[in-house]
Amino acid sequence: MATVEKMPMLQEGYDTLTADLKRLKTERPQIVDAIEEARAHGDLSENAEYHAAKERQGQIEASIADIEDKLSRAQIIDPRDLSGDKVVFGATVTLLDDDDKPVKYQIVGQTEANAKTGRISYNSPLGRALIGRRVDDEIEVSVPAGDRYYVVSKVEFI
């Protein structure tokens, strides 16, 4: 029998998905109204408004189904409840690059990842390389810009 794969995420990510779902569900009736209005204009085969509204309806329904699936599989993890010296989901890791310049990342779920804000997915190449590592471990990561080398200098659960 198939098992449902849990989707780890922080509370913040869960709240964002819930807000997105609520917004999409409130947009639903507006799209139905737009379809009805476009349908009233006559010939549907040449009615751009009707086709655009139907396309938007499909996008909304697909997004709702996707978010509901993610929320049903959500496993909320609070990093403050974690401890230890190994990098795990939710940990904030300080790395030293080749120039001993520190970079800081938090390991988060796929829906929460944003490298610009220092949040990387546990499924990203760097995230996968970090999981299970300890302070002073060296890692090598292949990224589009080439191979990168880091040393884990700090693991925090904040």
Side-chain angles (χ1 to χ4, degrees):
M1 185 167 165
T3 59
V4 177
E5 183 182 333
K6 288 289 184 189
M7 180 172 263
M9 63 181 66
L10 303 177
Q11 183 66 49
E12 181 182 328
Y14 185 87
D15 294 344
T16 300
L17 283 176
T18 303
D20 288 347
L21 182 62
K22 186 176 182 179
R23 180 185 51 77
L24 288 169
K25 284 187 173 184
T26 59
E27 195 175 329
R28 227 184 212 165
Q30 298 166 355
I31 293 297
V32 171
D33 291 345
I35 290 170
E36 289 300 319
E37 184 179 320
R39 189 176 281 153
H41 291 147
D43 184 13
L44 297 181
S45 64
E46 296 179 12
N47 189 331
E49 290 174 5
Y50 173 79
H51 293 290
K54 286 296 280 184
E55 185 174 321
R56 180 65 185 141
Q57 182 184 37
Q59 291 169 343
I60 287 174
E61 294 303 325
S63 294
I64 287 173
D66 182 52
I67 292 171
E68 285 177 338
D69 173 60
K70 287 175 182 171
L71 291 174
S72 72
R73 296 185 297 129
Q75 178 183 7
I76 299 171
I77 296 175
D78 185 348
R80 295 169 298 196
D81 293 340
L82 304 173
S83 63
D85 61 347
K86 285 171 74 172
V87 177
V88 295
F89 182 92
T92 300
V93 185
T94 304
L95 305 171
L96 298 176
D97 64 10
D98 292 335
D99 302 323
D100 284 338
K101 183 179 143 201
V103 287
K104 197 176 213 177
Y105 294 110
Q106 183 177 26
I107 311 297
V108 297
Q110 295 166 313
T111 59
E112 306 162 286
N114 183 347
K116 291 178 183 170
T117 61
R119 295 177 145 208
I120 59 170
S121 168
Y122 66 95
N123 275 339
S124 69
L126 181 56
R128 284 194 310 265
L130 286 171
I131 297 292
R133 301 299 180 126
R134 290 183 159 84
V135 172
D136 293 330
D137 281 357
E138 295 179 8
I139 61 167
E140 176 184 352
V141 182
S142 293
V143 293
D147 290 346
R148 298 287 170 117
Y149 300 91
Y150 298 100
V151 174
V152 178
S153 71
K154 190 181 204 179
V155 178
E156 303 172 276
F157 299 97
I158 49 178

